[in-house]
Amino acid sequence: MLRRIPTVICPHFHHSPLSTLPKRPSNPYIHYVSENFPVVKSKLPPNTPGKDIMRSVAESWKSLPAARKAVYERKALAEAQQYDNFFKTASLHLLFETEDKKEKKHLKKRFEELGRLPKKPPLSGYNLYVSRQKGNPQLSAPENLKIFAQNYQNLGEMEKTRLNKEVQIMKESYEKRMHQLLNP
């Protein structure tokens, strides 16, 4: 099933589990570490710092043949498929049954990624305008945003009104779709 590395074995990988959700799938390296950390630790002197143990485990992972790595890749893939299947079949009512903000945010994100929830519309005409812009790859994100903001300010009132109306239509459509999904 879905596993995390126990804190006792490897304190570097402690994750607080989300209460009603399956744990996020581990990557192949984490599977390797969970199996090999105790082995490597037992071969080293008793007071060896965890950092040095992890360094040894990382070196052994790097030198591991592709065929052996494939075992851990298959484990990670199987775990990821189980994880996705949970979200493909889970009730959307989980969004309202959970009170944990982190859990709720994670649920919503996963449901959106799988197309089970519509994406939230932009907050304003300005946000819609910016989302449609193609930035200059040679400029930083803040520099591009500054240019977008200047261009938006130069738009005519009719164009700004059109963008705001489009956002309003998107919001109404989103609310209607959410209501249909959550109140069948």
Side-chain angles (χ1 to χ4, degrees):
M1 192 85 196
L2 304 175
R3 270 177 40 199
R4 285 278 180 219
I5 301 166
T7 309
V8 176
I9 294 174
C10 185
H12 306 287
F13 289 101
H14 174 68
H15 295 279
S16 58
L18 298 175
S19 60
T20 58
L21 301 179
K23 292 178 180 137
R24 292 181 183 168
S26 301
N27 63 38
Y29 176 72
I30 298 300
H31 283 284
Y32 178 79
V33 170
S34 68
E35 281 185 22
N36 291 285
F37 187 91
V39 174
V40 172
K41 184 177 180 177
S42 69
K43 292 178 182 175
L44 296 171
N47 293 333
T48 305
K51 180 179 169 182
D52 294 339
I53 299 169
M54 284 302 296
R55 189 173 291 125
S56 296
V57 173
E59 288 170 10
S60 66
W61 170 256
K62 288 176 187 173
S63 65
L64 200 66
R68 291 276 321 275
K69 282 186 181 180
V71 171
Y72 298 102
E73 289 165 357
R74 284 192 296 274
K75 283 183 184 180
L77 182 62
E79 193 175 278
Q81 287 172 340
Q82 265 186 323
Y83 184 73
D84 283 345
N85 287 340
F86 171 83
F87 286 99
K88 288 176 183 173
T89 59
S91 168
L92 293 175
H93 289 283
L94 277 175
L95 283 170
F96 301 101
E97 293 168 3
T98 184
E99 294 180 17
D100 183 342
K101 285 182 181 181
K102 250 185 172 178
E103 186 173 319
K104 195 174 278 200
K105 183 178 179 180
H106 179 67
L107 270 169
K108 196 167 186 183
K109 181 181 175 189
R110 288 298 296 148
F111 284 142
E112 284 176 356
E113 287 171 355
L114 293 169
R116 296 195 58 208
L117 277 180
K119 288 241 181 227
K120 216 170 185 183
L123 296 173
S124 67
Y126 172 73
N127 293 113
L128 179 61
Y129 175 79
V130 169
S131 72
R132 292 178 175 171
Q133 300 305 304
K134 302 284 187 254
N136 181 342
Q138 278 118 14
L139 297 177
S140 68
E143 291 170 326
N144 276 318
L145 280 174
K146 189 175 181 180
I147 293 169
F148 299 157
Q150 289 170 346
N151 292 344
Y152 182 78
Q153 286 176 346
N154 294 335
L155 288 179
E157 283 305 311
M158 284 181 56
E159 183 63 18
K160 289 180 183 178
T161 304
R162 186 191 65 73
L163 286 166
N164 286 325
K165 283 182 181 175
E166 192 174 342
V167 167
Q168 188 59 40
I169 292 168
M170 291 168 86
K171 285 180 182 179
E172 289 168 4
S173 172
Y174 173 81
E175 293 298 328
K176 183 178 177 183
R177 179 76 177 119
M178 288 296 287
H179 183 74
Q180 290 171 341
L181 285 170
L182 300 173
N183 301 305

